[in-house]
Amino acid sequence: MRSLKTEMINRLLKRLARQAGFLVVSTGHRSTSFVDRPPETAFDLLLLQTFPNLGGLRFIQIGANDGQRVDPLLPYLEKHAWSGLLFEPLAENFAALSRRHTGNHRLTLRRAAVDTVAGRRTLYDVDRRTHPGLPDWAYGLASFDRDRVVNALRELGLDSSAIVEETVATCTWSEVWRDFGAARCDLLVLDTEGYDLTLLRSAGLAEHRPRLIHFEHGCVPGVERLAFYGELLALGYELATDGPDTTAWLKS
């Protein structure tokens, strides 16, 4: 009787607290992990929806950049002990990425671009050494498509003389999945400046079925993007967009 009375009192107190505008959760609830950092994006919210426990997730990140700027994984990697495979082809970015994750043995870093063919290929980027003080988004413009970089430079008030070229190693998805191992991929994250859909279409999604996929659609024509959404829906994914990004997830 005493325990029943105590439970009724606790329920009443919680109801009164909610009516007063307080959020009441038990310390064992997964949302307590976000009390100090509430979800800010659709990606953050869908992580909570898709995974009952954020601890120990396994991921692949294509286009990891320096591991700092506009990185959706940054708040989670160390806090939740995630393990994964990160690809970044540019020498300067890869050096910064390596410094950031020094000592984290759960992560494997590869200096390469994922492509449909293994070999060498030219990446075009903004020469930030001769043009310092650029906004953060200008640090993620590297592309196989030179014209795409030229168009971005116009937005920055620069011309094609600000382009720098770097020949990088490329690897295929067969190498990616081989290095990742047999375990299920929880998250697949891409940011490849307009190349995301080409890569995803060759990633073997029907076979490997990552639980959640996050990619940039902002550089892709609308017709092509909608066609790819249809392909994801046919594979059983749900979709959400947030600014230039799309997050796709499997319900079960």
Side-chain angles (χ1 to χ4, degrees), residues 79-237:
K79 181 176 181 180
H80 298 288
W82 287 8
S83 60
L85 187 56
L86 297 86
F87 291 83
E88 172 52 47
L90 293 176
E92 184 177 348
N93 287 348
F94 187 81
L97 184 70
S98 300
R99 289 192 298 270
R100 176 159 194 85
H101 296 306
T102 297
N104 189 340
H105 303 297
R106 294 185 299 272
L107 306 179
T108 299
L109 278 54
R110 286 198 57 186
R111 185 183 164 190
V114 179
D115 201 357
T116 55
V117 177
R120 308 282 293 177
R121 195 169 177 182
T122 300
L123 266 179
Y124 302 93
D125 197 10
V126 181
D127 188 353
R128 293 181 293 272
R129 294 183 180 181
T130 57
H131 297 85
L134 296 175
D136 273 356
W137 63 267
Y139 286 76
L141 294 176
S143 174
F144 290 135
D145 185 345
R146 188 178 186 276
D147 290 339
R148 189 177 300 282
V149 181
V150 170
N151 291 334
L153 286 172
R154 293 195 185 103
E155 296 184 41
L156 294 166
L158 302 172
D159 58 32
S160 60
S161 64
I163 288 181
V164 63
E165 300 179 11
E166 185 173 335
T167 302
V168 302
T170 63
C171 66
T172 63
W173 279 106
S174 61
E175 297 175 66
V176 174
W177 293 116
R178 179 199 65 199
D179 292 350
F180 186 72
R184 177 76 175 268
C185 178
D186 295 309
L187 298 100
L188 175 58
V189 178
L190 296 89
D191 187 352
T192 59
E193 197 62 21
Y195 204 50
D196 298 44
L197 268 59
T198 297
L199 289 180
L200 286 170
R201 280 181 166 134
S202 61
L205 298 181
E207 176 185 357
H208 297 283
R209 299 184 65 77
R211 293 277 306 280
L212 187 149
I213 305 170
H214 184 70
F215 61 95
E216 184 182 38
H217 67 245
C219 300
V220 179
V223 173
E224 184 180 357
R225 174 159 57 103
L226 291 175
F228 182 63
Y229 284 173
E231 296 169 29
L232 288 174
L233 291 170
L235 290 174
Y237 284 92

Side-chain angles (χ1 to χ4, degrees), residues 63-82:
N65 206 290
D66 63 358
Q68 176 70 42
R69 290 182 176 88
V70 198
D71 189 338
L73 304 185
L74 182 62
Y76 306 101
L77 292 187
E78 294 185 4
K79 181 176 181 180
H80 298 288
W82 287 8

